[in-house]
Amino acid sequence: MIVRYLDPVERLEYEIIQRSEEGSDVSEFKEDLTVIKQLRESGAHEEAEHKSMHILQELRKTPSSPKLLTDEPDDLEQILALRPKNRIELNSDSALSDAEYRNKILGGWLGRAAGCLLGKPVEKYHRSVIREMLESNGNWPLSNYFTQKGMPNSILQKYPWKRRRGVESLRENIRYMPEDDDLNYTMLNLYVLENYSAQFTSLDIGTEWLKKIPVYETFTAERITYYNLLSGYEPPETASYLNPFREWIGAQIRADLWGYVVPGNPQQAAEYAWRDARLSHVRNGIYGEMFCAAMIAGAFVESNPRNVVTTGLGEIPESSRLANAIRFVLDLPMENMDWETVVDQLYKEFGEYHWVHTINNAALVAAAVLYSDGDLEQTICNTVMGGWDTDSCGATAGSVIGVIQGAAALPGKWIDPLNNLIQSSMGGFDNTKFSELADRTLGVTKNMTATQIQDNVKTADDF
């Protein structure tokens, strides 16, 4: 039985790509992979897997380039030291009342759900396919949840909706927020804070993954980490051991809760995100979660989208590939560009990355937040029309704008179909109300002592 993402042949294929992106010469391994794929096609499955695993183990012994280790560290203290010196200063006087804070927390939860639900039916499809689908029934540019009404059968057969609850996510079928890993992890992290408070460790999170998340609700780096945890590995080895997806988007989708609980404190949000991300990711995979958590924390006290994005940028190494990507987005003259031209530039610059890599998707989120000027509909629609990981990016972008606007200001067109309800396979979270999640998030924050939420630089050994 071939288990997706754990399959040695698949892992070798993506490890070769990962090593190439890190700057290694992988030409000889590409030749090995060709031979291994031929073995599998001939029916020699065990031999193909054995050879793949042998090469993966050999690749583990290959050191990373010194420049990569210097520019893109995993250690928290080194990350902090490489942040830009001119980080944006947030308005520390913008104290929120409990009612205002809860409104923004609920806005984040609902904005995240709406953006995720919008992108869910077409996850993985290229932006050109999404446009073809929408044009076929007169819904381009995107301005509402997807519908198949009026869509020709030829299109539906050519581009079926996502198998995992894609049909449930169509406009005519929405009754709640269907289960999605993009929301499962947000709820899981809430549970972690409820049970471990601010002193949670990376291993605490991993333990709760095993207890609460079904393995087939994990993907890419998370599934490998799940397997590594069961095999006795602990962080950070859970992230690095035979994990070619270690810089993909999986950590970035787990960022939001850390921003929700420390409003106006992007450094602390990023530190919480680092503890979470290092369980399954390295380098830019870690930075993606730190960047998004910091943006969301900043969005509680800063309404200017450019300042929000710059706040996130301030919490990751300025020498990293992700920081370079965000600066590229910030430098685009968007005031003189239509959205499709903006996305053209992103694909030209970052199109070589896998559709669920951190760097291209984080750049798309940043661009959508900047371009849409605080409007939820424009933000999530632009994000999803951009393609790549449509539900994950829609969720993160929606969360940022949801926090900025607050639940009371979000359009009913996007929020009412959710019926204040979310489904999940995680115990204790199925059929939970978003209002309850907001209350629990607020409760967690109030239970965290002042010393627990102060900026506190820690090392990997602590977590």
Side-chain angles (χ1 to χ4, degrees):
M1 175 181 177
I2 296 176
V3 178
R4 188 75 206 276
Y5 311 121
L6 298 181
D7 172 35
V9 179
E10 181 184 23
R11 282 203 257 185
L12 177 59
E13 180 174 4
Y14 285 112
E15 180 62 33
I16 290 171
I17 295 171
Q18 171 66 25
R19 292 280 175 162
S20 177
E21 291 170 351
E22 292 175 350
S24 299
D25 180 3
V26 293
S27 54
E28 64 176 293
F29 300 110
K30 289 181 179 179
E31 295 174 4
D32 292 332
L33 180 63
T34 299
V35 173
I36 286 169
K37 286 185 172 181
Q38 291 171 346
L39 282 171
R40 172 166 278 182
E41 290 171 1
S42 70
H45 296 285
E46 289 188 11
E47 186 178 357
E49 292 179 6
H50 176 77
K51 286 182 177 294
S52 295
M53 190 60 72
H54 175 74
I55 295 172
L56 283 166
Q57 294 288 4
E58 288 300 309
L59 281 168
R60 285 190 67 232
K61 302 173 186 176
T62 305
S64 300
S65 71
K67 187 177 188 303
L68 196 66
L69 295 173
T70 300
D71 291 348
E72 298 184 347
D74 294 339
D75 178 77
L76 180 60
E77 291 184 6
Q78 294 176 355
I79 291 172
L80 294 176
L82 291 177
R83 293 177 301 169
K85 305 304 180 187
N86 57 339
R87 297 191 303 282
I88 193 167
E89 292 292 331
L90 296 175
N91 184 1
S92 58
D93 295 328
S94 301
L96 299 169
S97 68
D98 282 356
E100 291 170 329
Y101 181 27
R102 183 191 180 278
N103 181 49
K104 285 182 173 289
I105 291 172
L106 181 57
W109 278 103
L110 292 172
R112 181 163 186 77
C116 180
L117 186 57
L118 177 62
K120 195 172 179 66
V122 293
E123 182 186 13
K124 190 176 181 178
Y125 283 141
H126 190 273
R127 58 186 287 229
S128 61
V129 171
I130 295 171
R131 179 165 187 164
E132 183 181 354
M133 296 176 76
L134 290 168
E135 286 181 335
S136 76
N137 64 349
N139 282 298
W140 177 270
L142 185 62
S143 61
N144 205 332
Y145 291 112
F146 280 83
T147 177
Q148 68 179 22
K149 290 182 179 179
M151 198 169 281
N153 286 332
S154 58
I155 290 290
L156 293 172
Q157 292 173 0
K158 188 177 180 182
Y159 307 121
W161 304 111
K162 181 182 177 182
R163 284 181 296 176
R164 298 173 64 86
R165 302 175 181 86
V167 174
E168 291 177 54
S169 307
L170 299 179
R171 192 188 316 169
E172 53 269 29
N173 300 328
I174 298 171
R175 302 292 180 270
Y176 40 71
M177 177 64 217
E179 177 165 31
D180 194 280
D181 58 329
D182 292 282
L183 275 298
N184 275 348
Y185 287 113
T186 317
M187 293 185 286
L188 186 283
N189 289 341
L190 171 60
Y191 182 84
V192 167
L193 280 182
E194 288 176 329
N195 287 272
Y196 298 91
S197 194
Q199 300 308 311
F200 71 91
T201 68
S202 305
L203 189 56
D204 291 334
I205 296 174
T207 299
E208 296 307 325
W209 282 19
L210 299 183
K211 289 180 179 179
K212 299 193 75 68
I213 300 181
V215 66
Y216 272 95
E217 293 298 332
T218 63
F219 307 93
T220 62
E222 283 70 27
R223 186 171 295 178
I224 289 181
T225 297
Y226 202 109
Y227 182 78
N228 285 344
L229 285 164
L230 289 173
S231 300
Y233 292 94
E234 295 190 4
E237 286 76 20
T238 47
S240 60
Y241 184 71
L242 303 185
N243 179 9
F245 313 114
R246 54 191 178 269
E247 288 193 291
W248 286 19
I249 200 175
Q252 185 169 298
I253 73 172
R254 311 199 304 260
D256 298 51
L257 199 282
W258 314 126
Y260 295 165
V261 298
V262 283
N265 191 343
Q267 179 174 330
Q268 187 61 63
E271 192 268 323
Y272 288 158
W274 172 84
R275 292 191 222 171
D276 183 18
R278 67 190 288 270
L279 176 65
S280 56
H281 286 72
V282 304
R283 299 191 182 100
N284 295 279
I286 292 175
Y287 311 151
E289 183 168 356
M290 296 178 74
F291 168 70
C292 291
M295 275 204 301
I296 290 167
F300 280 90
V301 298
E302 176 58 70
S303 61
N304 183 303
R306 179 165 288 270
N307 289 345
V308 169
V309 172
T310 305
T311 295
L313 180 62
E315 298 303 326
I316 63 175
E318 61 180 341
S319 53
S320 66
R321 285 167 283 156
L322 179 59
N324 289 333
I326 303 305
R327 284 193 294 270
F328 174 85
V329 172
L330 286 164
D331 288 342
L332 287 174
M334 292 189 187
E335 63 278 4
N336 301 318
M337 304 167 73
D338 61 41
W339 177 245
E340 286 300 294
T341 302
V342 171
V343 181
D344 286 342
Q345 292 299 308
L346 298 182
Y347 272 71
K348 181 179 179 181
E349 191 73 15
F350 309 114
E352 76 277 8
Y353 287 110
H354 192 276
W355 66 272
V356 287
H357 200 281
T358 293
I359 291 174
N360 51 342
N361 284 287
L364 177 60
V365 167
V369 169
L370 288 169
Y371 191 88
S372 305
D373 198 27
D375 180 276
L376 178 72
E377 180 170 311
Q378 286 301 307
T379 301
I380 61 177
C381 288
N382 283 346
T383 305
V384 171
M385 287 190 294
W388 288 326
D389 197 344
T390 50
D391 63 335
S392 296
C393 289
T396 301
S399 183
V400 173
I401 303 303
V403 169
I404 290 175
Q405 296 291 344
L410 298 181
K413 171 183 177 179
W414 295 100
I415 305 307
D416 293 348
L418 300 171
N419 287 311
N420 194 28
L421 197 65
I422 184 170
Q423 289 194 333
S424 176
S425 59
M426 295 198 307
F429 284 97
D430 193 30
N431 293 317
T432 299
K433 294 181 178 180
F434 283 103
S435 55
E436 179 187 340
L437 293 172
D439 289 337
R440 289 170 65 174
T441 306
L442 180 62
V444 157
T445 306
K446 293 175 76 70
N447 288 335
M448 296 162 80
T449 67
T451 54
Q452 286 174 323
I453 63 173
Q454 286 175 350
D455 287 350
N456 184 16
V457 177
K458 298 177 177 66
T459 68
D461 292 337
D462 294 309
F463 300 109

